[in-house]
Amino acid sequence: MNPPFNHTLTAISGFRVGHWTDPVGRTGCTVILCPDAGAVASASFLGPSPGTREGVLLAPEKKVERIHALLLTGGSAFGLAAAAGVVRVLEERGVGHETPWARVPIVPAAVIYDLGVGDARARPGDPEGEQAARAASADPVVRGQVGAGTGATAGKYRGPDHAAVGGLGSVMLERYGVQVAALAVVNPIGDVLDEMGGILAGPGTGVGASAFAPADVTNTTLVAVATEHTLTKNDARRLADAAQTALARVIHPSHTYWDGDAAFVLSACTRPPADPMLLGALVQEAVCAAVRDAVRMAAGQGRVS
């Protein structure tokens, strides 16, 4: 039997994805392993409440250019502990930034807030990050209510009782020989829009005078974009900004006072540079498609609330 066609992030050569999922506690984490040589990376953070590890390191002016893995996780700030397990796996494999005394794996991380969906005491930690890293493979990415998307919800501006399922989605797009892939963990306060601007997930009533206690919900959408086409760190940052712009097209409202959205761009730098306009357009298309894929795949698995 022929293997299924891979139209997810792992279709980009050298990248592998693994999940750890707690279906009872409604949380999980997802690890993206880069090629052993690392990936040139940068990121963009919008909204006032991002939860990150080593995010500052990804700024274009910082010295280290390549990362070796990316962790996306539930559990709010508690979930950042899962990065330690990823680091341990990479150290065992001899993967990391070369220093005089050791190779140091560079593993940025970002979190969503999912503590109110299942068991608030269930959080990914060091062992769970290790499990996700060891599970990482080049197989098509498993999507829906899995990994970091297990406890994700959308459309929460009328309160959690009106929330729709969020989830984790991934797509790979190719135009004129240029490949870009995206993986999204979709947990916004706003509605997710379909290709025609209609409501795909969320109440669809718009933000108005409805009863809503902002302190009751905290929200974040996480996006990772990968390509083989060579980028500088500055290029990656510009594309990360483009990814954030795409979130504004597919989530309404986006980047609100209660969101902490993070967009990462990773390049294996194993293929020649692509046309910047085409690359930017593909990044935005892939991000929108991955967000929609997340809620469509998750909706088929039922509500999480």
Side-chain angles (χ1 to χ4, degrees), residues 18-21 28-31 71 73 78-89 92 123-135:
H19 303 303
W20 173 83
T21 300
C29 62
T30 297
V31 174
L71 170 72
T73 181
F78 301 108
L80 293 173
V86 184
V87 169
R88 182 167 55 256
V89 171
E92 288 177 4
R123 307 142 184 177
D126 183 326
E128 291 74 27
E130 178 179 348
Q131 289 179 47
R134 295 196 188 282

Side-chain angles (χ1 to χ4, degrees), residues 73-122:
T73 181
S76 189
F78 301 108
L80 293 173
V86 184
V87 169
R88 182 167 55 256
V89 171
L90 293 175
E91 182 184 26
E92 288 177 4
R93 298 176 180 177
V95 174
H97 176 68
E98 192 71 50
T99 74
W101 294 277
R103 285 183 176 153
V104 181
I106 307 300
V107 183
V111 303
I112 67 166
Y113 187 96
D114 56 5
L115 301 182
V117 175
D119 183 351
R121 298 166 297 177

Side-chain angles (χ1 to χ4, degrees), residues 61-285:
E61 73 274 10
K62 302 306 179 187
K63 181 180 178 182
V64 173
E65 288 198 349
R66 291 180 179 252
I67 69 171
H68 303 96
L70 176 66
L71 170 72
L72 307 178
T73 181
S76 189
F78 301 108
L80 293 173
V86 184
V87 169
R88 182 167 55 256
V89 171
L90 293 175
E91 182 184 26
E92 288 177 4
R93 298 176 180 177
V95 174
H97 176 68
E98 192 71 50
T99 74
W101 294 277
R103 285 183 176 153
V104 181
I106 307 300
V107 183
V111 303
I112 67 166
Y113 187 96
D114 56 5
L115 301 182
V117 175
D119 183 351
R121 298 166 297 177
R123 307 142 184 177
D126 183 326
E128 291 74 27
E130 178 179 348
Q131 289 179 47
R134 295 196 188 282
S137 77
D139 293 339
V141 177
V142 179
R143 296 119 64 212
Q145 293 174 291
V146 66
T150 303
T153 51
K156 290 167 278 191
Y157 51 85
R158 290 188 62 195
D161 290 342
H162 297 273
V165 290
L168 182 146
S170 185
V171 301
M172 187 277 290
L173 300 179
E174 183 172 359
R175 304 282 189 276
Y176 305 104
V178 175
Q179 291 184 334
V180 169
L183 184 151
V185 179
V186 181
N187 188 53
I189 196 170
D191 296 316
V192 176
L193 307 181
D194 65 19
E195 290 81 355
M196 302 301 293
I199 302 300
L200 186 60
T205 59
V207 179
S210 58
F212 167 55
D216 290 343
V217 290
T218 306
N219 319 273
T220 294
T221 296
L222 310 177
V223 173
V225 175
T227 186
E228 293 178 79
H229 297 281
T230 297
L231 301 174
T232 67
K233 209 173 177 186
N234 279 317
D235 294 335
R237 172 53 193 270
R238 284 191 288 270
L239 290 174
D241 289 338
Q244 292 279 19
T245 301
L247 290 182
R249 289 168 48 186
V250 72
I251 295 171
H252 179 75
S254 66
H255 306 122
T256 72
Y257 187 83
W258 299 280
D259 287 288
D261 303 321
F264 301 86
V265 173
L266 320 176
S267 172
C269 295
T270 53
R271 296 179 63 184
D275 175 79
M277 182 170 289
L278 174 58
L279 200 59
L282 277 177
V283 166
Q284 292 197 357
E285 286 185 39

